[in-house]
Structures are given as structure tokens and as C-alpha cells.
Amino acid sequence: MVIWNLSRIEELIVQKGIAQGREASNIAGWIWEECLGLARMTSHTFDAKFDSKIGAILNRLEAGEPVQYIAGHAWFYGLKFNVTPAVLIPRPETEELVEWIYTEWKNTETEIRILDIGTGSGCIAITLKSLLGKKAKVIGIDISTDALQIAMNNAKHLNQEVEFRLHDFLEEGFRGLGEFDIIVSNPPYVDTKANTSILEKLRFEPSVALFPQGPDVNIFYKKIAAEGMEALKKEGACYVELNEFNAREIKEIFLRSGWKESKVQNDLQGLPRMLKAIK
Ligand code: GLN
């Protein structure tokens, strides 16, 4: 019988070289609360079976697996999303993209039709629906049936009515989807040529969500810029997350495709990470 608490787990994390300092304490918190469902400041006496449970979690972390996959969920904009390796783990910068859209549309009284391209866990689509409420009609599309399954489960347990559809955007574009007030996307945009070490860091997440196939890293933005205006209503807007290295180029892609305005916005870290285009 051993007494376990948060600090004991934190010590092990440091000892095993998984993380240090504040990061170690964050991860310990995740294990204690999110993986084991225990209250933060408590101590518990567990038998040897528990040691192996903790051991297994620590081994997975040592191998570099994100703690959200181990816990099976991630937090996004205050909502709890189920995640598996079939979907990207929701990121804080994407919360900022959602915040931007919400701020600009919260006072709209009429129906708001929203398309989320490459919806993954559904975090953008479902959060926008929960924030904007009844007036929002949201469709999330994805090329991965496994991802759509997760998205549908998330919509169900978060009690949000969102339509999810299997749709190969690069192949089919906006065909058959209808007209929208908001087009939003966090497409695959990681450039493996520019940054090869990133492959190691992201190896547990689905490559289809991270890396554009083929030589053109901006292929999704080009397709959205080329065909999105037709799918967008007159006063509509398109919002995309992007990589700080490509922000300027993507802004130009939209302008060259004839969009009236294309505006890059910085995230809280001061990096250009999102863009809004209007027609
Ligand atoms: N933000 C993710 C990362 O850099 C990438 C997400 C994406 O490709 N859409 O890890």
C-alpha cells in the first residue's frame, strides 16, 4: 500500500525526465485529475495495482504521447472534447480564432450559416454552435470517417446540433454544400520541409490533419480562396488559421483571387496566426 498524491506523481515525472518545473506540475495535474479523476489536493492509499496503472501512463508519456490522448479528452473553450489519435488535439490558438468569429457575429440576429472545413474533433463547429445558439446552422466536413465519428460523439455529449458530413474538400470543393455566412477552417498547414523536427513532435497526431499532401503547403488556402467567394453570402466572411511563416503569402493568395479584404491577426503570443477575408 502506497500513499499517492499530486506531488508524488510530479516527482516521478521529473525523475523520469518527462518534464520539469511548471510543465511537470501541469502534467501531474492532468494525470491526477483528468486521467484518474481524482481531486487536486487529495492523497489516497492505493494497492500495487495502482502502481502499474501509473507506470503505464508514465511510460506512454515517456514515449512522447500527448497526455490528452492518454486521458481521452481535451479542453477547448471551456468544453470537454473527446479525442483519439484520429483527430488533432485542439489548440489554444484555435480558441482565439473561435473567439474572433464569436465577437464579430454574436450580435447578428438573423440565421448564421457556418461551414467548418476539416472539422476534426468538431471543436470549432461545436463551440461556435454552443456560443451562437439557435441562430447558427453549422456544418462540419472532413475527409476522415474516424474523425467524423469523434465529432458526432462530441456534438452529442455536448448537446449541440451540428451536421457532420464526409466530404473531400480538395476534390469536391464547395460542391453540394450550399451558401454560408461564415466559412472557417483550420486546415493541414504544417510544412515538413521547413521544419523536419516537427515530425517527431507531432508523430502521435493524424498526418492527414497536419500535413498537406503534395508539394504545395498552401493548397487548402488556394482552394478556399479560389472557390470560397461563390459559396459565401454577400456579407459573409472567411476565417482561417494559419502558420506564422506563411501568413503574408496566404493574405496575398486571397487578394489575388479577388477578395476585397484580407486581414491577418496576431494571436496572444504576438504571432500572425489567423486571417479573415471578405468578398
Ligand atoms: N497548430 C498545429 C501545430 O502546429 C497545426 C494544425 C494544423 O496543421 N492545422 O501543431
Side-chain angles (χ1 to χ4, degrees):
M1 294 295 216
V2 182
I3 297 178
W4 283 90
N5 57 25
L6 200 62
S7 337
R8 190 177 153 92
I9 294 185
E10 190 176 332
E11 272 163 33
L12 283 176
I13 288 170
V14 176
Q15 239 172 57
K16 285 178 172 291
I18 295 169
Q20 294 198 339
R22 197 142 154 225
E23 207 195 333
S25 119
N26 284 340
I27 296 176
W30 257 88
I31 296 177
W32 194 248
E33 294 180 313
E34 313 274 347
C35 301
L36 303 169
L38 300 166
R40 185 160 275 264
M41 297 318 285
T42 53
S43 294
H44 299 269
T45 309
F46 291 110
D47 60 18
K49 233 165 71 201
F50 188 78
D51 294 10
S52 59
K53 191 171 174 180
I54 290 277
I57 293 174
L58 293 174
N59 284 344
R60 289 172 74 178
L61 285 170
E62 251 183 312
E65 189 170 348
V67 72
Q68 291 90 340
Y69 287 151
I70 301 172
H73 63 262
W75 291 93
F76 184 83
Y77 217 103
L79 300 174
K80 192 175 178 179
F81 285 83
N82 292 327
V83 294
T84 71
V87 300
L88 193 78
I89 295 166
R91 306 282 205 272
E93 51 272 24
T94 311
E95 291 179 323
E96 293 186 51
L97 180 71
V98 166
E99 173 82 26
W100 191 11
I101 299 172
Y102 174 54
T103 310
E104 296 203 334
W105 290 83
K106 63 179 178 204
N107 295 325
T108 303
E109 311 247 299
T110 47
E111 183 185 84
I112 309 170
R113 286 184 46 85
I114 303 173
L115 175 68
D116 176 23
I117 302 169
T119 197
S121 64
C123 63
I124 296 177
I126 294 167
T127 307
L128 282 174
K129 174 67 187 170
S130 88
L131 289 168
L132 294 168
K134 230 175 148 174
K135 65 190 175 194
K137 298 278 174 289
V138 189
I139 300 182
I141 59 170
D142 208 285
I143 194 175
S144 156
T145 36
D146 290 344
L148 286 170
Q149 200 59 53
I150 303 289
M152 284 191 272
N153 286 342
N154 280 327
K156 198 170 168 200
H157 90 255
L158 292 166
N159 239 327
Q160 299 300 326
E161 208 177 298
V162 173
E163 182 185 339
F164 290 105
R165 273 201 218 172
L166 186 65
H167 188 98
D168 180 348
F169 178 70
L170 289 183
E171 190 59 38
E172 300 178 63
F174 292 89
R175 217 180 307 142
L177 296 172
E179 270 203 319
F180 299 93
D181 300 278
I182 298 173
I183 294 170
V184 56
S185 186
N186 173 19
Y189 59 69
V190 176
D191 189 353
T192 49
K193 286 185 290 307
N195 185 352
T196 43
S197 66
I198 201 104
L199 276 174
E200 169 72 10
K201 197 178 138 235
L202 298 172
R203 72 188 189 283
F204 283 91
E205 294 185 89
S207 26
V208 67
L210 289 162
F211 314 117
Q213 302 300 302
D216 188 356
V217 74
N218 291 327
I219 187 159
F220 278 89
Y221 304 103
K222 284 185 183 159
K223 184 98 176 161
I224 294 171
E227 299 172 19
M229 266 196 289
E230 272 207 39
L232 206 58
K233 292 191 199 165
K234 196 158 160 274
E235 307 294 332
C238 172
Y239 301 82
V240 290
E241 180 173 317
L242 42 76
N243 191 310
E244 69 263 35
F245 311 110
N246 295 2
R248 190 185 299 204
E249 203 180 322
I250 294 163
K251 177 186 162 110
E252 286 306 316
I253 289 171
F254 276 88
L255 291 176
R256 273 202 308 272
S257 302
W259 294 68
K260 187 168 85 188
E261 209 183 298
S262 170
K263 182 178 138 201
V264 171
Q265 180 143 306
N266 286 356
D267 67 5
L268 286 173
Q269 296 187 58
L271 296 172
R273 296 289 263 117
M274 50 205 142
L275 174 144
K276 175 189 177 187
I278 53 176
K279 65 177 199 170

